[in-house]
Amino acid sequence: MPDSRTPPDVDRAAASRRAVAARRERAALKKDVAMRVISPQELLRRALAHPESPAGAMRVTEFLTAIPAIGEGKRDRILHDLEISSVKRLGGLGSRQRAVLTEFLDARLPEPTPRAKRSRLVVLAGPTAVGKGTVAAEIKDRHPEILLSVSATTRQPRPGEVDGEHYFFVDDAEFDRRVAAGELLEHATVHNAYRYGTPRGPIDDALSAGRTVLLEIDLQGARQVRAAAPDASLVFLLPPSWDELVQRLVGRGTESDEERARRLKTAKRELASQAEFDYLVVNDDVARAASEVASLAD
Ligand code: 5GP
């Protein structure tokens, strides 16, 4: 007689498939935290909102070691200090444990606090391949009231690019002249290749006329704008997940292992700079991300 306590084979197979999928999802979430695609606080919020989800099923030990710079030794000291048992799962934390863990995370890795005052000068930056250009183009289409700044660059136009519309295509001498004349709000060499810069004149004119201005520039440029115009609203565009960013960066798999490793390292470093920004926007859907960025203007 079959043992009634043993589930039939089909159920066991389905359960084991579910367990594998849940483990894979937990691994992806840990990677997102490790690469700073989501904050540990965000993962904890998801776990508490859905204790049955893969986030909720994550052990507090796994959670802590996913956070950059927390190894096993530090993890055990933290759990000891916070008086949380190492067998606890995030979804099963009691209210005192949630509170002390959140307080610990906020002190260690503060999340951006939205600024009291928004600016009409909005800078959109983010890691390479996150889709800044697509989001900026969507804003240009949907919000004609917002001026999308047209940069100067020393690179050659790509097919379909129009001088004065996508970029001002200039040679090195003209770029040097603009820098020397103080005509650029910021400028940088991007990807160790060509120079790019934001013309100051059109921005000043648009701001004086009461318009919102959007700059879609790289991280070095965003830092320069912060220094030159401390009131500017700096927005960091995030990928929906680390795996998704990897897909976008090396999706076609046509590059060498060395180039692939270099791109991933750069992406990791770029993601780590999000703490310098005022707002984080996830590019999970271009239209949604574009309307969120547009709504962050004054
Ligand atoms: P692409 O050559 O593919 O159009 O742009 C390459 C990179 O240059 C993108 O990351 C874009 O954000 C950045 N970029 C475009 N214009 C500017 C600019 O005026 N200043 C800076 N710092 N970066 C820019």
Side-chain angles (χ1 to χ4, degrees):
M1 247 193 55
D3 183 342
S4 61
R5 285 166 307 176
T6 315
D9 283 351
V10 272
D11 288 0
R12 274 215 303 275
S16 112
R17 269 199 307 279
R18 275 198 303 276
V20 169
R23 205 171 314 133
R24 200 172 293 143
E25 233 179 287
R26 284 206 304 279
L29 285 169
K30 282 191 282 180
K31 204 158 233 188
D32 289 347
V33 170
M35 298 303 184
R36 302 175 204 257
V37 169
I38 59 173
S39 65
Q41 289 93 322
E42 171 62 21
L43 178 55
L44 183 58
R45 282 192 288 272
R46 291 185 197 173
L48 295 172
H50 303 283
E52 305 305 322
S53 68
M58 189 179 294
R59 290 207 190 270
V60 69
T61 43
E62 299 181 84
F63 171 69
L64 284 175
T65 45
I67 299 172
I70 297 187
E72 292 181 1
K74 210 179 260 181
R75 169 198 73 192
D76 293 343
R77 277 197 301 282
I78 296 165
L79 288 176
H80 177 264
D81 291 349
L82 300 180
E83 296 177 28
I84 299 176
S85 152
S86 59
V87 298
K88 276 279 178 186
R89 294 180 187 274
L90 293 182
L93 292 173
S95 58
R96 185 202 64 83
Q97 295 170 327
R98 296 171 188 196
V100 290
L101 187 55
T102 305
E103 198 181 311
F104 164 80
L105 296 171
D106 286 346
R108 187 183 173 99
L109 296 157
E111 290 181 300
T113 37
R115 310 185 114 200
K117 193 179 171 317
R118 292 178 176 186
S119 166
R120 270 184 286 107
L121 180 56
V122 180
V123 176
L124 180 64
T128 312
V130 74
K132 282 173 291 171
T134 319
V135 170
E138 177 82 9
I139 295 173
K140 188 179 172 189
D141 278 356
R142 301 234 175 173
H143 296 272
E145 75 283 5
I146 296 180
L147 174 75
L148 177 61
S149 161
V150 179
S151 300
T153 181
T154 58
R155 83 151 161 77
Q156 294 298 307
R158 297 187 186 125
E161 284 184 336
V162 177
D163 186 41
E165 188 182 319
H166 297 97
Y167 282 104
F168 294 105
F169 297 98
V170 300
D171 59 17
D172 266 309
E174 171 59 14
F175 200 94
D176 283 339
R177 191 200 62 72
R178 292 187 184 203
V179 172
E183 291 178 16
L184 302 179
L185 174 64
E186 61 73 38
H187 61 95
T189 301
V190 179
H191 301 322
N192 298 323
Y194 299 104
R195 293 194 288 168
Y196 295 79
T198 304
R200 193 189 289 275
I203 294 179
D204 290 345
D205 293 348
L207 290 175
S208 332
R211 284 183 79 185
T212 291
V213 177
L214 178 71
L215 312 186
E216 184 260 291
I217 57 179
D218 85 325
L219 292 165
Q220 312 166 71
R223 292 192 180 111
Q224 291 177 44
V225 174
R226 164 107 307 158
D231 290 346
S233 290
L234 265 54
V235 183
F236 192 90
L237 196 62
L238 282 167
S241 69
W242 170 254
D243 287 345
E244 177 90 27
L245 185 66
V246 171
Q247 268 305 311
R248 292 182 195 179
L249 270 171
V250 296
R252 288 184 302 274
T254 45
E255 59 290 303
S256 64
D257 284 355
E258 202 178 308
E259 171 62 14
R260 185 186 145 89
R262 194 188 63 75
R263 288 192 193 182
L264 298 184
K265 201 168 146 205
T266 305
K268 191 177 168 191
R269 197 188 55 235
E270 289 172 337
L271 281 166
S273 68
Q274 64 185 266
E276 299 166 39
F277 285 72
D278 305 311
Y279 303 98
L280 304 179
V281 170
V282 179
N283 188 16
D284 47 0
D285 173 88
V286 173
R288 198 208 57 74
S291 76
E292 190 178 343
V293 174
S295 77
L296 294 175
D298 182 19

